[in-house]
Amino acid sequence: MRWFAWLIIITYLLGARHVMATSDASLRSLADARDKLVGTAVNTTALTNDARYRDFLAREFSSVTPENVMKWQLVEPEQGTPDYTSGDQLVAFARANNQAVRGHTLVWHNQLPEWLTSGGFTSSQLTDMLHAHITDEVSHFAGEISAWDVVNEPFNDDGTWRNSIWYQAMGPDYVALALQWAYDADPAARLYVNDYNTEPLGAKSDAMYALASDLVARGVPLNGVGFQAHLGLQSRFPDTLTPNLQRFADLGLDVAITEADIRMPLPADSDKYVQQAGYFQRLLQSCLVVERCVSFTVWGFDDTHSWVPGAFPGQGAATLLDAAFDPKPAYFALRDALAAGSATAK
Ligand code: G3I
């Protein structure tokens, strides 16, 4: 009988320890114990102006991604005078708070400077300008950025190449060229290609897989593939995410969830929040079970600073904290997923 009593006491204490460890632990401390980074996109205006925003960012996340300020349109609005001040401020914050920085993004069809898109440049001029841009920006941040989203969103949803200014100038080899130029400027940074709607197995992720396989086979310096994971409750969860991540990992690449958010039709309610929590948790669990999944990043952590309502009228509430900065079930779901199965949660 005595052993039975001890069993109950020990079980209770272990359970209590788990509850305590989970209930007051930050996402980043729990993620540390799982050997993963947990990150967020950062709105640098809020970083400058809002102490509550800064405190949550420092406490909860071990990785930061600039939401906008490292994009070409923002670093070089006037040709010839790149300005990295806002990116430098984020890097300084990250350093002070022992956070990794994910650079975002060097080659994209969007948020390009007006002088570039309407300048009437030839293919050869565009090639030289992209080379110079990558060299300048990656060199500027060399040593500070652990991973770069070098190429962002190269594919259409049907798996064909997006007919971007870069594709038009160089054909599909612009991806390999960009990766090589980034490598030349900072060989220590982990270099990624990143896209959305590539979470499930299917035409678009097959296109990404074919690209990644080809780059690896050719010895191009590709280190990882990013899966943005901008999801919505109106669409079913991408059930094949785990095997999809795993097949990229099997190529010898890192994988990462880079921009997770789960939008919903407004108004939000508690049922939708619960469903949203399930989506966030399943996303994170896929990253936890794939060893080469190195980081899980959300695209902003509070609804006030989310890009979603601006881009999808009538939808929103896509992040972990509501507009009053209160954590939703999604926040606790991420914490629970990180704590589950971890004996060493701090
Ligand atoms: O900089 C101008 C500012 O001068 C002007 O006063 C203001 C007025 O609207 O606009 C500002 O530009 C905004 C820009 O963000 C910088 O803040 C644009 O309107 C706004 O459309 C732009 O949106 C960003 C979007 O990328 C652009 O496509 C979002 O904040 C950002 O979250 C979003 O991020 C992308 C990732 O980089 C790639 N994956 C998809 C993801 C969501 O679209």
Side-chain angles (χ1 to χ4, degrees):
M1 189 61 206
R2 211 190 283 160
W3 68 267
F4 187 69
W6 275 113
L7 186 65
I8 288 174
I9 291 167
I10 289 167
T11 306
Y12 171 78
L13 288 175
L14 283 174
R17 180 177 164 276
H18 171 78
V19 170
M20 281 167 59
T22 309
S23 64
D24 52 15
S26 63
L27 295 175
R28 70 181 290 178
S29 66
L30 294 165
D32 276 356
R34 304 297 294 267
D35 213 14
K36 308 277 182 192
L37 292 171
V38 62
T40 180
V42 177
N43 177 313
T44 49
T45 306
L47 183 72
T48 306
N49 297 335
D50 187 340
R52 194 173 57 161
Y53 184 95
R54 281 195 297 278
D55 291 347
F56 192 87
L57 177 61
R59 187 176 71 242
E60 296 292 335
F61 297 101
S62 50
S63 173
V64 292
T65 305
E67 184 177 4
N68 285 298
V69 296
M70 289 188 192
K71 294 169 179 172
W72 200 340
Q73 184 185 53
L74 284 94
V75 298
E76 198 180 356
E78 309 294 333
Q79 186 176 10
T81 50
D83 178 357
Y84 299 110
T85 310
S86 297
D88 288 342
Q89 284 165 357
L90 179 58
V91 165
F93 181 88
R95 256 181 179 267
N97 292 287
N98 194 25
Q99 293 164 315
V101 183
R102 183 174 189 93
H104 178 87
T105 177
L106 298 166
V107 189
W108 197 21
H109 61 277
N110 206 350
Q111 285 181 294
L112 291 168
E114 165 79 18
W115 57 261
L116 176 73
T117 50
S118 57
F121 297 111
T122 65
S123 295
S124 133
Q125 284 173 317
L126 286 169
T127 305
D128 290 348
M129 287 157 86
L130 184 64
H131 187 176
H133 166 65
I134 290 175
T135 303
D136 195 65
E137 178 150 6
V138 176
S139 304
H140 177 86
F141 290 111
E144 307 286 0
I145 302 271
S146 57
W148 269 109
D149 290 328
V150 176
V151 175
N152 198 36
E153 302 172 5
F155 294 114
N156 297 314
D157 278 351
D158 65 0
T160 55
W161 283 92
R162 187 189 289 276
N163 192 23
S164 69
I165 189 172
W166 310 118
Y167 185 83
Q168 287 170 25
M170 288 165 262
D173 225 31
Y174 83 86
V175 177
L177 289 167
L179 288 162
Q180 188 62 53
W181 295 331
Y183 179 84
D184 293 343
D186 183 2
R190 307 289 288 172
L191 306 179
Y192 280 67
V193 178
N194 188 49
D195 214 326
Y196 63 87
N197 287 351
T198 45
E199 295 79 26
L201 295 167
K204 195 169 188 179
S205 60
D206 285 350
M208 183 64 94
Y209 184 75
L211 172 65
S213 307
D214 178 59
L215 294 170
V216 168
R218 290 163 56 197
V220 174
L222 173 73
N223 302 112
V225 175
F227 299 79
Q228 294 184 7
H230 293 291
L231 305 183
L233 293 186
Q234 305 96 306
S235 308
R236 54 173 295 157
F237 186 84
D239 292 322
T240 49
L241 175 61
T242 301
N244 192 30
L245 295 179
Q246 189 59 55
R247 69 173 168 160
F248 286 88
D250 291 342
L251 293 173
L253 296 169
D254 291 342
V255 292
I257 303 295
T258 52
E259 307 185 11
D261 51 21
I262 318 290
R263 59 186 180 271
M264 60 183 70
L266 298 173
D269 62 35
S270 54
D271 285 350
K272 291 178 194 168
Y273 279 170
V274 168
Q275 211 190 332
Q276 179 189 49
Y279 273 47
F280 266 115
Q281 191 168 59
R282 290 177 70 186
L283 274 181
L284 176 56
Q285 280 165 343
S286 285
C287 186
L288 290 171
V289 299
V290 174
E291 198 182 346
R292 293 294 296 265
C293 186
V294 295
S295 63
F296 179 87
T297 292
V298 294
W299 204 244
F301 54 84
D302 68 315
D303 286 344
T304 306
H305 297 103
S306 169
W307 70 292
V308 169
F312 298 94
Q315 298 184 56
T319 74
L320 305 179
L321 306 184
D322 66 18
F325 224 73
D326 288 325
K328 300 177 197 170
Y331 169 77
F332 298 106
L334 291 187
R335 240 172 34 176
D336 288 349
L338 288 167
S342 169
T344 50
K346 287 177 252 173

